[in-house]
Structures are given as C-alpha cells and as structure tokens.
Amino acid sequence: MAAERGTEAEALVGQVVLPGDLLLLPAHYDEDAEGERLRLSAGAAPQGRLLCGPGLRRSGAGLLVTKCGLLRHRPGGGGAYWVDSQQKRYVPVKGDHVIGIVTAKAGDVFRLDVGGSEPASLSYLAFEGATKRNRPNVQVGDLIYGQFVVANKDMEPEMVCIDSSGKSSGMGIIGQDGFLFKVSLGLIRKLLAPKCEIIQELSQLYPFELVLGMNGRIWVKAKTVQQTLIIVNILEACEYMTAEQRKQALAKLSGN
C-alpha cells in the first residue's frame, strides 16, 4: 500500500490526504531533526526547523496523517505542513486564542465552555490589574476572549486573559451587544490569515467590530442589527463561495 511505503510530502501538497498516510520528508529535514522531536507548535520556529501543524504528527523519518483534508505547505525558514480540514470539533492547543462562554463560578476559578470535550478553567487573577481585592466583574453567560496556557490530554485546559508581560493585549470580557456564531475551523484559519481579502472587503461595506476564536467562534458587532446580520450571513457563506461570487454579493449590498 502507498500509505505503508509513504509518499513524498511535496508531491501531495494541495491534494486530499487520509488518516494513516505516511508523508516522506526531504533528506535535509531528517538531518535537521536528528536527535530532536519535531516541533509541534503554532509559534515561530528556529531557522531550519520544520513545523508540524494540525492533522499531522511525527512518525520516524516522516509525518503521519491523523485527519482527512487537504495537505498544505508554507515555505520559508524550516517550512510548515498541516492538514486543512472542515473539522468543527475543537481540540484545545496551547497558545490558541479562543472565545469561551462562562458557565459557572467555582471559588476563585471560572469554568468556560470553549467547544472542546471538557470546560476550561480561568482564574480571576488572570486578568490585567486583577488582585484579591480588585476582582474582575465576570458573570455566568459572559463571553471571554483569552489564550490557552495549558492544553494537553492529561490536564484540564487553562486560559488567561493576559500576555507574558501582564497586559490584556485585547483579551478579556467581550461586550454585551453583538452576535456570536460558529463556523468550521478551516474558515477560521482562512479569516485569520494575514491580509485576508474577505475581512478587507467586508470592512469597505460597513464599519464593524470582529473577534475571531481559533475554536470556530466568531463575535461580530456592527452599527445596527441589520448590518450585523448581513455580515454574519456573508461570513457563513464565504466558506462555500468563490472569490468572484463573494465580490458579486458584496457589490449588490453596497449598491443598496
């Protein structure tokens, strides 16, 4: 079988891969990774170190596919491979920025629904300027934009709303108004890409606020409810529209 022998990863970029497929890497990746495990991180990698993204894991001298989808590759530095799938079930990853819904207060810890298999915890001290006397005003049902600092199969996911320097950096409680909805993880990655055309085109239609969570949740708020719902409908439809179809739809709306 081809999966047992393996196939050159570069030859499969842009094609559908299935769980169990083995992707062979060029020889220089083996030399760089000798004696080291492949870096499983979405952060910046040292020069020459290959990044292994969602849907892949290290297997000997290659990469083993764990999800069905399209194989993607990003050149530059050590490069990166990942599987672009339409998965909707979110698996927490350390460093991901997500939107959570407060479901309970348990002592000094809040429980948040982040769309995973179990709730995440958030300490009341994990907010900018928070102390034992100055606690954040967080209520059940509030939306929280935060980052995972602990996320693995053996421990409960833990979130914070501050960066390494103790600043909020845009994280914290999201406003009461606005509309929250869910899309596929593939669309989220597309919207979070640098210079995303979809966001640029929408910003020319209406002014709006937008929060994107890697867990597939989007919060949007425009000037009116009607404008908010129009933006929501366009974002949901973008996953199944070509660039030309999207531009035609936006042109009709701007003409009105």
Side-chain angles (χ1 to χ4, degrees):
M1 293 177 62
E4 294 176 349
R5 296 193 303 270
T7 307
E8 292 292 338
E10 293 179 354
L12 291 176
V13 173
Q15 298 185 32
V16 175
V17 291
L18 300 174
D21 288 350
L22 180 63
L23 310 179
L24 302 179
L25 299 173
H28 66 274
Y29 283 130
D30 296 338
E31 295 169 1
D32 292 339
E34 186 176 355
E36 298 180 356
R37 291 186 63 83
L38 194 63
R39 181 185 175 98
L40 299 174
S41 169
Q47 185 71 18
R49 182 77 67 82
L50 176 69
L51 283 178
C52 179
L56 298 171
R57 65 179 176 86
R58 183 73 176 183
S59 177
L63 300 174
L64 186 66
V65 180
T66 58
K67 292 180 184 177
C68 177
L70 299 176
L71 182 66
R72 302 295 189 189
H73 177 240
R74 184 188 68 211
Y81 284 97
W82 72 95
V83 176
D84 191 1
S85 65
Q86 298 302 312
Q87 176 184 348
K88 286 197 172 185
R89 184 67 170 180
Y90 176 70
V91 178
V93 176
K94 182 179 179 179
D96 275 4
H97 288 78
V98 299
I99 298 176
I101 304 172
V102 180
T103 57
K105 290 183 180 181
D108 296 337
V109 175
F110 302 105
R111 300 292 180 192
L112 279 73
D113 170 19
V114 292
S117 59
E118 60 179 329
S121 64
L122 173 67
S123 170
Y124 75 92
L125 292 174
F127 291 82
E128 182 178 1
T131 63
K132 289 186 177 181
R133 291 188 176 183
N134 182 30
R135 297 195 176 204
N137 183 23
V138 178
Q139 305 297 327
V140 173
D142 284 351
L143 302 180
I144 303 289
Y145 181 62
Q147 181 181 19
F148 281 116
V149 290
V150 174
N152 61 58
K153 62 180 181 179
D154 300 316
M155 298 179 66
E156 179 186 60
E158 182 180 341
M159 288 175 58
V160 295
C161 292
I162 50 176
D163 58 18
S164 57
S165 60
K167 301 297 182 181
S168 63
S169 300
M171 294 181 283
I173 303 173
I174 301 176
Q176 295 294 328
D177 299 329
F179 190 89
L180 180 72
F181 62 105
K182 187 172 176 59
V183 297
S184 73
L185 304 185
L187 178 58
I188 284 290
R189 286 193 289 270
K190 185 186 298 185
L191 295 174
L192 286 170
K195 299 181 181 178
C196 174
E197 292 183 356
I198 299 173
I199 303 298
Q200 292 178 353
E201 292 168 1
L202 280 175
S203 63
Q204 297 174 2
L205 185 63
Y206 303 122
F208 62 92
E209 299 176 51
L210 186 69
V211 181
L212 301 171
M214 281 297 294
N215 55 342
R217 289 175 178 165
I218 299 178
W219 178 88
V220 62
K221 178 185 177 183
K223 188 175 182 180
T224 65
V225 174
Q226 182 182 13
Q227 291 179 1
T228 299
L229 293 177
I230 289 174
I231 293 171
V232 169
N233 289 331
I234 293 174
L235 287 172
E236 288 181 327
C238 278
E239 190 169 2
Y240 311 102
M241 296 170 68
T242 64
E244 187 60 33
Q245 290 173 333
R246 186 178 68 247
K247 289 178 180 178
Q248 290 177 359
L250 291 172
K252 291 180 180 179
L253 290 170
S254 60
N256 294 337

